[in-house]
Amino acid sequence: MGKNTTIQRIGVLTSGGDAPGMNAALRAVVLAADHYQIEVVAFRHGYKGLLENESVVLRPHDVLHILQHSGTVIKSARCQRFKTIEAAQQASSVLDENNIQALVVIGGDGSFRGAHHLAQHWHGQIIGIPGTIDNDLYGTDATIGFATAVNIAMDALDKIRDTADAMDRVFIVEVMGRDAGFIGLSSAMAAGAERMILPELQRDKPLTIAALVKHIERVQKVRGEGSYVMVLSEHQWPGGAVALAEQLEAEYHLPCRPCLLGHIQRGGAPAPADRILGAQMGVHAVELIRSGATEVMTGIRGQENVAVPIVDTWQKKHPLDPNLLRIQHEIFNPVKKSQRNH
């Protein structure tokens, strides 16, 4: 793949669920492009805005002070219509009308599926930047937004522990990540939760209400009366944290309170790790374009920049760290520790 120094104009959009650090990535794309004398055209509201030609030229002075803000200054959206061939052809025409030679897509697996779909109908280069709090894309150690989401969940769990200790209550904290337990595992470990219910664990051995109650009772027997905090990944229990709390109270008379963190995990100032990651990946995306690459995602593996085939990002599985899973699920489990000591 030869270096493409003829690139003069590139497009950029943010698509799907917003993630803290998207603005940092956008800023880096604009600054890196300016460094190489490339003009950047942003399409507002993701693929929807691309179809409607919601375009705006971005220059360095437009993005200098956006990296400390969450969300995305060029807005995002979900666009089911983009799955059609007609939409991809329309997007191709819009890109050509704007003299776009390469497109940078900042988003998650749905956004990258859209990018791959577009690539079948457009001749330009396409580069993906992984922006999703779920951290579920294959090929990169981290995605933009994950570190901030874990920080927010950990902070909430720390605060919940205070009131749980005061009242000797069971708390169920529901976090995002319906198909991947990265936020659940990391926040549970960082906050010292007694239990976590993750998609990966549910696939191996689904948890029953009886087994959960037994674990709670054993923890209380080992430690004495006190708090019990569990982290529940969304959609891993019918009715979520509210239904589970109601069931524990009604059937087993356990004083239990649910707490749904929801979309607050997407907000707040991006953590330093996400700002730095966004900067690295934004610059790398522009340099990948100049190298002639297309249909790849920027990634970080062991502090090294990598280019990952975009179809691999959702076709291949990004597993949880087995060592972290072992530590939190087994080593830090007070019931298993008690069983070993006896």
Side-chain angles (χ1 to χ4, degrees):
M1 151 179 14
K3 189 171 286 293
N4 186 354
T5 57
T6 64
I7 293 287
Q8 295 179 326
R9 212 167 200 235
I10 66 175
V12 61
L13 59 82
T14 50
S15 170
D18 58 296
M22 277 185 165
N23 283 329
L26 175 64
R27 174 180 179 271
V29 168
V30 174
L31 296 183
D34 182 71
H35 175 76
Y36 292 114
Q37 298 180 314
I38 299 171
E39 189 172 50
V40 176
V41 176
F43 293 93
R44 291 166 53 83
H45 297 106
Y47 290 120
K48 177 177 176 291
L50 174 58
L51 292 174
E52 297 170 2
N53 197 14
E54 288 190 60
S55 58
V56 57
V57 174
L58 290 182
R59 296 185 173 86
H61 69 266
D62 297 315
V63 299
L64 283 181
H65 305 297
I66 66 171
L67 82 169
Q68 62 265 47
H69 301 296
S70 196
T72 162
V73 296
I74 59 171
K75 307 293 185 178
S76 188
R78 302 189 190 278
C79 184
Q80 289 296 318
R81 183 161 69 97
F82 200 75
K83 294 179 179 180
T84 67
I85 291 175
E86 293 76 17
Q89 291 172 337
Q90 182 178 336
S92 175
S93 296
V94 171
L95 290 167
D96 288 343
E97 288 168 11
N98 283 277
N99 298 315
I100 303 297
Q101 296 163 283
L103 179 67
V104 177
V105 175
I106 307 172
D109 67 320
S111 302
F112 292 166
R113 290 171 194 263
H116 176 63
H117 177 54
L118 174 61
Q120 313 312 304
H121 304 277
W122 184 56
H123 57 82
Q125 295 169 250
I126 299 178
I127 304 294
I129 297 179
T132 168
I133 66 171
D134 291 338
N135 198 39
D136 58 348
L137 296 174
Y138 173 84
T140 184
D141 294 340
T143 61
I144 297 166
F146 173 65
T148 306
V150 172
N151 282 355
I152 291 169
M154 180 195 69
D155 183 62
L157 283 160
D158 287 347
K159 290 178 170 65
I160 285 166
R161 176 69 73 181
D162 292 340
T163 187
D165 275 341
M167 302 294 290
D168 290 340
R169 276 189 177 140
V170 175
F171 264 83
I172 306 167
V173 182
E174 187 171 313
V175 301
M176 286 184 163
R178 71 172 67 191
D179 298 316
F182 290 94
I183 295 175
L185 171 58
S186 294
S187 61
M189 192 170 194
E194 280 75 26
R195 188 92 198 194
M196 55 187 184
I197 304 176
L198 313 178
E200 293 82 356
L201 296 177
Q202 289 291 84
R203 284 194 288 268
D204 294 340
K205 187 179 180 182
L207 184 66
T208 64
I209 190 76
L212 179 57
V213 170
K214 190 174 183 180
H215 188 267
I216 294 170
E217 291 174 344
R218 284 182 174 176
V219 169
Q220 291 174 338
K221 185 177 180 180
V222 170
R223 292 184 176 175
E225 287 190 350
S227 61
Y228 182 103
V229 175
M230 74 180 82
V231 175
L232 171 67
S233 292
E234 60 183 345
H235 298 283
Q236 298 309 306
W237 196 273
V242 173
L244 179 54
E246 290 175 349
Q247 191 173 359
L248 288 170
E249 286 226 47
E251 297 179 18
Y252 295 93
H253 309 291
L254 286 169
C256 187
R257 297 291 182 271
C259 181
L260 282 64
L261 299 188
H263 284 74
I264 70 166
Q265 292 160 93
R266 295 193 188 277
D274 281 326
R275 300 185 194 195
I276 294 167
L277 187 63
Q280 286 180 281
M281 289 183 166
V283 172
H284 189 214
V286 173
E287 292 179 342
L288 281 172
I289 289 171
R290 295 187 78 245
S291 75
T294 189
E295 277 207 86
V296 295
M297 176 194 78
T298 64
I300 298 289
R301 285 193 202 140
Q303 305 304 314
E304 295 289 332
N305 290 327
V306 294
V308 184
I310 210 160
V311 294
D312 285 357
T313 64
W314 73 84
Q315 289 183 352
K316 294 184 179 181
K317 182 67 178 174
H318 182 198
L320 294 177
D321 185 326
N323 190 45
L324 292 185
L325 195 60
R326 178 184 67 89
I327 290 170
Q328 177 64 16
H329 193 51
E330 298 181 16
I331 304 299
F332 290 171
N333 190 322
V335 170
K336 293 189 176 183
K337 183 177 179 181
S338 173
Q339 290 171 340
R340 287 193 300 272
N341 292 339
H342 292 86

